């Protein structure tokens, strides 16, 4: 089984955090283990933290942000030659972006200790779409669209959700099918949650230069996917795009 290791040297002691797989899904919980092995002398850590991080595009370039963090231990004393395994459950936040189109997500171990060796070590995660997101993407493919780009972008004014610094946009372009001659592209922002998947769609119609300059060629819509049936989701996507085409 593939593992994700966050290995930090603390003097002569080591702390290894092992996840069962590098593949995660937003909204899931992952059971991990923290392996502690003491060195020749007793050492103390003020705090040991897992941080889930990514980058998003802002006006001044790309910025690194912390999606969520979990404190694994506080005031931890590692005794000489200590061998200990601590179970921990890591919740992968719903706002964690899918790792496609160059988007990266990683876990970074942060240690509150002055003499730790390279406390900025990180391990890459492969974030898969939720089942409802995957059904939306499959529906777009069935409708003749191809995913051309996926990027995390700043959302400073809370256009899509309050309290979030960024959202992930998926850009689809029609290559065949009913919309090939009428649309330039469709951009989707997918926000999964406990109550379903909220989808924001911007439909860019094929129009003349004046319409493009005036932005009258772009129409937006919003809907929530609550079904787990791929055919029902396909019809919902098709209808939403058709209404704005």
């Amino acid at each position: 089984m593939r593992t994700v290791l966050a290995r930090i040297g603390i003097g002569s002691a080591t702390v290894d955090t092992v996840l069962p797989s590098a593949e995660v899904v937003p909204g899931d919980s992952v059971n991990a283990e923290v392996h502690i092995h003491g060195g020749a002398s007793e050492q103390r850590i003020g705090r040991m933290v897992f941080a889930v991080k990514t980058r998003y595009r802002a006006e001044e370039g790309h910025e690194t942000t912390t999606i969520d963090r979990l404190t694994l231990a506080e005031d931890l004393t590692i005794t000489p030659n200590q061998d200990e395994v601590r179970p921990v459950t890591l919740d992968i936040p719903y706002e964690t972006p899918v790792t496609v189109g160059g988007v990266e997500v990683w876990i970074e171990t942060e240690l509150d200790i002055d003499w730790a060796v390279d406390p900025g070590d990180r391990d890459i995660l492969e974030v898969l779409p939720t089942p409802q997101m995957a059904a939306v993407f499959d529906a777009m493919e069935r409708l003749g669209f191809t995913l051309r780009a996926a990027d995390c972008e700043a959302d400073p004014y809370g256009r899509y959700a309050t309290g979030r610094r960024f959202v992930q946009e998926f850009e689809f372009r029609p290559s065949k099918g009913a919309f090939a001659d009428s649309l330039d592209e469709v951009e989707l922002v997918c926000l999964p949650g406990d109550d379903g998947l909220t989808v924001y769609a911007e439909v860019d119609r094929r129009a003349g230069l004046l319409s493009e300059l005036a932005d009258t060629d772009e129409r937006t819509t919003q809907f929530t996917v609550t079904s787990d049936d791929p055919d029902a989701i396909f019809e919902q996507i098709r209808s939403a795009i058709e209404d704005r085409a």
Side-chain angles (χ1 to χ4, degrees):
M1 185 177 293
R2 295 166 57 190
T3 62
V4 177
L5 294 179
R7 183 176 181 87
I8 303 296
I10 313 169
S12 58
T14 59
V15 177
D16 299 338
T17 304
V18 183
L19 274 69
S21 173
E23 294 183 351
V24 297
V25 176
D28 279 0
S29 296
V30 179
N31 294 322
E33 291 182 342
V34 180
H35 295 243
I36 302 171
H37 177 69
S41 60
E42 182 177 287
Q43 295 168 320
R44 179 181 173 275
I45 301 174
R47 187 173 62 164
M48 187 190 322
V49 177
F50 255 159
V52 181
K53 297 189 175 186
T54 190
R55 293 188 185 90
Y56 64 90
R57 188 172 61 192
E59 291 185 2
E60 301 298 328
H62 282 80
E63 296 185 8
T64 298
T65 186
T66 298
I67 303 170
D68 198 10
R69 56 166 37 98
L70 171 69
T71 299
L72 300 180
E74 292 184 291
D75 296 324
L76 174 65
T77 298
I78 302 177
T79 59
N81 299 315
Q82 173 186 354
D83 284 306
E84 182 178 345
V85 177
R86 295 190 178 191
V88 61
T89 299
L90 305 175
D91 295 326
I92 307 301
Y94 278 120
E95 55 264 38
T96 305
V98 178
T99 50
V100 295
V103 173
E104 282 190 327
V105 176
W106 65 92
I107 287 180
E108 189 169 296
T109 303
E110 302 171 352
L111 300 179
D112 179 16
I113 185 169
D114 292 337
W115 26 274
V117 177
D118 189 15
D121 194 20
R122 71 177 193 175
D123 297 278
I124 300 295
L125 294 178
E126 181 179 356
V127 184
L128 306 177
T130 66
Q132 289 177 332
M133 290 175 66
V136 168
F137 299 156
D138 289 344
M140 293 296 290
E141 184 176 355
R142 287 174 60 185
L143 289 168
F145 289 88
T146 301
L147 180 63
R148 296 295 299 273
D151 198 10
C152 295
E153 298 188 359
D155 185 26
Y157 304 110
R159 177 184 177 189
Y160 299 103
T162 58
R164 294 183 57 167
R165 296 182 181 179
F166 71 94
V167 293
Q168 186 174 21
E169 293 186 354
F170 301 91
E171 179 185 307
F172 291 88
R173 294 186 181 178
S175 56
K176 58 184 179 180
F179 301 106
D181 295 328
S182 59
L183 300 181
D184 282 334
E185 66 180 26
V186 174
E187 290 185 354
L188 300 181
V189 171
C190 300
L191 305 182
D194 290 331
D195 298 327
L197 176 69
T198 301
V199 180
Y200 296 85
E202 182 177 290
V203 179
D204 189 353
R205 296 177 299 160
R206 188 162 295 174
L209 178 60
L210 292 179
S211 296
E212 293 184 357
L213 291 175
D215 287 336
T216 57
D217 60 322
E218 296 177 354
R219 295 182 177 181
T220 60
T221 187
Q222 173 188 345
F223 55 92
T224 301
V225 175
T226 57
S227 173
D228 293 324
D229 180 12
D231 290 332
I233 294 174
F234 171 82
E235 287 300 325
Q236 191 172 10
I237 291 289
R238 183 196 60 76
S239 178
I241 295 176
E242 194 173 66
D243 287 345
R244 293 297 184 269

